[in-house]
Amino acid sequence: KEPSTKKSEDKKVVYTVKRGDTLKKIAHKYKISIAKIRKLNNLKRHKKLHRGMKLVLGDINTHSKHRKSKRGKRRDSNHRINNALATLNSRNSNNSATHGAYKVIQIAKRYLGKRYVWGGESTRGFDCSGFTQYVMRKSKGAHIPRVSRKQAYYGRYITRSHLKPGDLIFFDTSHRRRGYVNHVGIYIGNNKFIHASSARHRVVITSLNTPFYRSRFKWGRRVN
């Protein structure tokens, strides 16, 4: 006999309105349409929210599934990157280039979340080129230049379509796109790269398909 689902079906998300709340804010927070909130609570268009008001927002399982699916997508993306690198490394254990790329990314990811510090080049904090210089030295023993505009001319030139995990990638993030390199990261595969971001104040992984970075990508470099 299947267990009864009546109890879970009857559980509803009930939200207590706070000062400054609007239907738009609540709808955005709980990923539900304004029209559905109105329908669930029989709210007329002219009806205003007031502090302490109770709003039914739908089935609790629906909201929890939505949150879990978003977390799951992020985990799946990271798993795909890690599994691809692990498979590549195991299949080509005798290939020094592949092993080197795996080690670059392995070391780079140790510092995810490390704070961004302008001029930083140690584990106390990194700027973008300080981070890439540190990782290349620790993973490959390569002593690359300190600043991104000089790193951009170190190693073998690589186009975006030929990027491989472990390659350095360069951007022009200047406000007026002046044509010179001023940001660098490390490509990790699956159209993603790891970098010390001044905008997000820490070391993060970002998609190369993000419109900002896609439009400002310059080229890659492969450090042997």
Side-chain angles (χ1 to χ4, degrees):
K1 183 180 178 180
E2 293 184 0
S4 172
T5 58
K6 186 178 187 307
K7 186 176 180 181
S8 63
E9 287 174 352
D10 288 340
K11 287 184 178 179
K12 300 291 181 182
V13 174
V14 179
Y15 181 78
T16 302
V17 176
K18 300 178 179 63
R19 178 178 294 181
D21 274 343
T22 64
L23 284 179
K24 185 176 180 180
K25 287 182 181 179
I26 297 168
H28 179 75
K29 180 178 180 180
Y30 285 90
K31 309 299 180 186
I32 185 174
S33 70
I34 293 175
K36 188 169 183 179
I37 295 176
R38 289 187 188 280
K39 184 177 179 180
L40 286 170
N41 296 276
N42 196 26
L43 291 176
K44 304 298 183 184
R45 285 195 172 274
H46 65 274
K47 179 73 173 179
K48 293 185 178 180
L49 301 184
H50 57 81
R51 189 169 59 174
M53 185 178 183
K54 304 290 185 182
L55 293 177
V56 175
L57 300 181
D59 184 65
I60 198 168
N61 293 327
T62 302
H63 294 292
S64 62
K65 284 177 182 177
H66 176 78
R67 290 192 296 268
K68 287 178 182 177
S69 68
K70 288 183 73 175
R71 288 196 297 267
K73 285 179 182 177
R74 287 195 293 269
R75 284 197 299 268
D76 288 345
S77 178
N78 286 334
H79 285 323
R80 283 196 298 271
I81 293 170
N82 290 334
N83 290 340
L85 286 168
T87 301
L88 196 62
N89 189 50
S90 63
R91 287 179 180 175
N92 301 279
S93 57
N94 295 323
N95 186 320
S96 59
T98 300
H99 179 73
Y102 181 79
K103 191 173 182 182
V104 168
I105 297 165
Q106 188 180 44
I107 289 176
K109 291 179 77 172
R110 289 179 189 171
Y111 302 103
L112 271 173
K114 182 67 68 176
R115 69 192 182 107
Y116 179 93
V117 176
W118 189 84
E121 53 187 24
S122 73
T123 55
R124 291 190 295 274
F126 298 103
D127 64 14
C128 67
S129 55
F131 176 65
T132 51
Q133 184 190 53
Y134 183 90
V135 171
M136 288 297 163
R137 185 173 70 249
K138 288 292 183 180
S139 61
K140 291 189 168 190
H143 294 273
I144 66 175
R146 173 62 182 87
V147 294
S148 60
R149 66 178 180 274
K150 291 186 177 181
Q151 290 179 9
Y153 296 95
Y154 187 94
R156 178 184 165 195
Y157 176 88
I158 304 293
T159 63
R160 177 168 176 174
S161 61
H162 290 89
L163 287 174
K164 291 183 178 180
D167 288 344
L168 296 179
I169 53 177
F170 300 91
F171 305 87
D172 172 8
T173 61
S174 60
H175 181 64
R176 296 184 178 179
R177 301 193 193 189
R178 298 178 179 176
Y180 56 76
V181 167
N182 59 2
H183 189 61
V184 58
I186 300 170
Y187 185 66
I188 63 174
N190 198 32
N191 275 321
K192 295 181 183 294
F193 67 103
I194 186 169
H195 59 131
S197 168
S198 59
R200 298 181 64 183
H201 313 295
R202 62 189 186 278
V203 175
V204 296
I205 290 175
T206 303
S207 172
L208 258 177
N209 290 328
T210 302
F212 179 84
Y213 288 105
R214 184 176 65 232
S215 65
R216 292 166 180 270
F217 177 84
K218 300 292 286 182
W219 59 77
R221 289 281 175 178
R222 189 163 298 155
V223 178
N224 296 322

